[in-house]
């Protein structure tokens, strides 16, 4: 047989003798032929790396940080509880008059560890009570921008240490879900200015809150107006077209971008429908099923945030938004 060692003066693999061509055709290869010198002649076990990564991730767990922004009464806490099917959002019981309407935007974070089928996730939910509730909402986004940059700064300080931790705690905001009031008209200047500023430093996913207050025709027209507003003001929400590298990912994200903003309905109570327990809101006309695509688009939002794009949200946060902040801070430190 031919030698497996490469020739000294030739970069091409040695050709097999004509007598062995038929035998080689009968022997199936376990891997598709690649570049010269990369063809596998049997099972190596490279695919076991996936199992190793899965076992390591299940042991260590992973972190996911979500921020919800919107006016009071739009169902932010209920929506987060519906997303993770548990009481993960902080909700004050019988708040006083002063607590109901904060004078300024206050940020409240609560952290939970959620486990499902052996996979642990450290979930941090950041709420922004007081946003957009005042008569004068000038610069009400400043505390939110400051909080997001503070998390980038905290991660950067840990990263540039000489002896840094093996795993740096990640408190950076991976996604900001912005709740738009179901007015049925155009976006307000407050909505446009917030998304214009925040989309540059964090992944922003806009949703139409309490979409059951709109008819299907009003919902469709409202979504079209919002899409026109975002396009006219050059606001790039997640998933951004600039970061689509794979053709399959671009096709999937194009379908998602056609549906944005998602018209969602939140509910953390179960009801009996056709012999099944479903999450929904009970009205005198019937039950609005949260996970029914015919009733609302909550399932699309859940799939985007958890089932299909969770890792992509974390990757873009680290490779794009955090990287931009890191470069800017290091340039400021090295400057005159």
């Amino acid at each position: 047989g031919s030698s497996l060692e490469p020739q000294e003066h030739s970069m091409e693999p040695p050709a097999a003798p004509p007598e062995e061509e038929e035998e080689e055709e009968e022997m199936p290869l376990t891997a598709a032929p690649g570049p010269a010198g990369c063809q596998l002649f049997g099972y190596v076990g490279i695919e076991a790396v996936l199992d190793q990564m899965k076992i390591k991730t299940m042991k260590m767990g992973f972190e996911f940080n979500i921020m919800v922004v919107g006016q009071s009464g739009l169902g932010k806490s209920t929506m987060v509880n519906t997303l993770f099917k548990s009481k993960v959002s902080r909700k004050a019981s019988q708040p006083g008059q002063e607590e109901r309407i904060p004078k300024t935007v206050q940020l409240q974070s609560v952290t939970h560890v959620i486990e499902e089928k052996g996979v642990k996730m450290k979930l941090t939910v950041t709420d922004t009570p007081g946003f957009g509730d005042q008569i004068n909402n000038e610069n009400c986004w400043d505390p939110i921008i400051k909080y997001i940059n503070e998390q980038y700064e905290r991660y950067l300080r840990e990263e540039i240490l000489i002896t840094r931790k093996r795993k740096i705690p990640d408190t950076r905001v991976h996604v900001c879900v912005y709740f738009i009031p179901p007015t049925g008209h155009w976006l307000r200047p407050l909505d446009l200015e917030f998304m214009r500023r925040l989309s540059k430093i964090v992944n922003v996913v806009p949703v139409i809150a309490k979409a059951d207050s709109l008819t299907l025709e009003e919902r469709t027209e409202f979504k079209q107006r919002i899409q026109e507003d975002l396009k006219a003001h050059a606001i790039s929400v997640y998933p951004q077209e600039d970061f689509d590298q794979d053709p399959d990912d671009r096709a999937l994200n194009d379908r998602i971008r056609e549906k944005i903003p998602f018209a969602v309905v939140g509910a953390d109570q179960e009801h009996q429908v056709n012999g099944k327990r479903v999450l929904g809101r009970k009205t005198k006309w019937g039950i609005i099923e949260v996970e029914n695509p015919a009733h609302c688009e909550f399932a699309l939002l859940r799939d985007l945030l958890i089932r299909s794009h969770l890792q992509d949200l974390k990757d873009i946060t680290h490779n794009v938004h955090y990287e931009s902040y890191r470069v800017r801070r290091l340039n400021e430190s090295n400057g005159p």
Side-chain angles (χ1 to χ4, degrees):
S2 59
S3 173
L4 296 180
E5 298 180 359
Q7 299 177 4
E8 294 182 358
H9 304 288
S10 176
M11 298 299 293
E12 298 180 358
E19 295 81 10
E20 297 181 0
E21 289 183 356
E22 296 181 358
E23 295 181 2
E24 289 188 0
E25 291 179 358
E26 295 177 359
M27 294 175 60
L29 296 177
T30 57
C38 296
Q39 189 172 352
L40 301 182
F41 294 96
Y43 178 73
V44 178
I46 300 175
E47 63 180 3
V49 175
L50 297 176
D51 297 331
Q52 298 173 30
M53 295 173 62
K54 181 179 178 181
I55 294 173
K56 187 175 181 180
T57 303
M58 292 179 68
K59 287 182 179 180
M60 298 180 60
F62 61 97
E63 298 158 322
F64 186 62
N65 308 318
I66 182 174
M67 174 184 282
V68 288
V69 181
Q71 286 183 332
S72 301
L74 293 181
K76 300 186 297 295
S77 302
T78 304
M79 177 57 61
V80 174
N81 294 338
T82 310
L83 273 173
F84 300 97
K85 295 187 177 179
S86 58
K87 303 291 184 179
V88 296
S89 183
R90 176 182 296 174
K91 205 171 186 178
S93 58
Q94 297 180 353
Q97 184 66 28
E98 295 181 358
E99 295 179 354
R100 292 178 185 174
I101 307 178
K103 294 182 179 180
T104 58
V105 179
Q106 303 172 0
L107 280 83
Q108 302 174 352
S109 296
V110 58
T111 301
H112 299 273
V113 177
I114 303 177
E115 184 173 355
E116 182 182 28
K117 294 183 179 181
V119 180
K120 295 181 181 180
M121 180 176 70
K122 185 180 179 182
L123 173 68
T124 301
V125 180
T126 304
D127 197 359
T128 56
F131 178 82
D133 292 342
Q134 306 302 318
I135 296 177
N136 182 10
N137 291 304
E138 185 179 2
N139 299 329
C140 62
W141 46 77
D142 284 348
I144 300 175
I145 295 177
K146 180 181 177 182
Y147 175 82
I148 294 174
N149 288 330
E150 284 176 353
Q151 310 316 309
Y152 289 151
E153 182 69 21
R154 180 181 300 180
Y155 192 91
L156 177 62
R157 290 184 180 276
E158 291 286 343
E159 194 177 42
I160 62 178
L161 290 176
I162 298 176
T163 56
R164 55 186 180 183
K165 300 177 182 177
R166 186 176 180 181
K167 183 181 180 183
I168 301 176
D170 190 4
T171 60
R172 298 169 296 180
V173 178
H174 298 128
V175 61
C176 173
V177 182
Y178 185 72
F179 286 71
I180 301 173
T183 60
H185 302 292
W186 301 88
L187 286 176
R188 302 170 302 171
L190 174 64
D191 303 328
L192 292 171
E193 190 64 22
F194 175 85
M195 286 189 281
R196 186 184 68 83
R197 291 174 179 265
L198 267 292
S199 61
K200 299 176 182 178
I201 63 173
V202 72
N203 299 313
V204 178
V205 177
V207 298
I208 301 174
K210 294 189 174 182
D212 53 331
S213 61
L214 300 172
T215 64
L216 296 179
E217 293 78 9
E218 291 173 342
R219 183 190 305 177
T220 303
E221 293 177 0
F222 191 32
K223 292 180 67 170
Q224 291 178 353
R225 291 170 182 167
I226 293 175
Q227 291 174 357
E228 292 175 5
D229 270 347
L230 294 176
K231 187 176 181 181
H233 292 82
I235 299 174
S236 179
V237 297
Y238 184 84
Q240 300 92 334
E241 294 184 12
D242 299 338
F243 306 147
D244 292 341
Q245 298 179 352
D246 188 79
D248 296 335
D249 293 342
R250 179 177 293 274
L252 174 62
N253 292 339
D254 285 340
R255 292 194 296 270
I256 295 175
R257 281 187 281 265
E258 292 176 357
K259 299 289 185 179
I260 285 181
F262 300 119
V264 297
V265 177
D268 49 10
Q269 295 182 355
E270 290 186 340
H271 300 278
Q272 195 82 12
V273 177
N274 298 328
K276 296 181 180 179
R277 303 289 296 178
V278 298
L279 286 171
R281 295 184 63 243
K282 187 176 182 180
T283 66
K284 62 181 181 180
W285 299 281
I287 295 177
I288 302 172
E289 301 177 31
V290 170
E291 297 178 322
N292 190 342
H295 293 184
C296 72
E297 296 174 339
F298 168 80
L300 298 178
L301 175 65
R302 179 194 57 199
D303 292 346
L304 175 70
L305 295 181
I306 302 176
R307 299 186 178 180
S308 63
H309 286 67
L310 188 147
Q311 187 59 45
D312 188 61
L313 286 165
K314 298 182 66 173
D315 292 342
I316 291 181
T317 299
H318 180 77
N319 299 326
V320 179
H321 298 303
Y322 168 71
E323 191 68 17
S324 299
Y325 179 84
R326 188 185 69 86
V327 171
R328 186 173 71 252
R329 286 287 290 114
L330 294 180
N331 286 335
E332 292 175 358
S333 302
N334 298 331

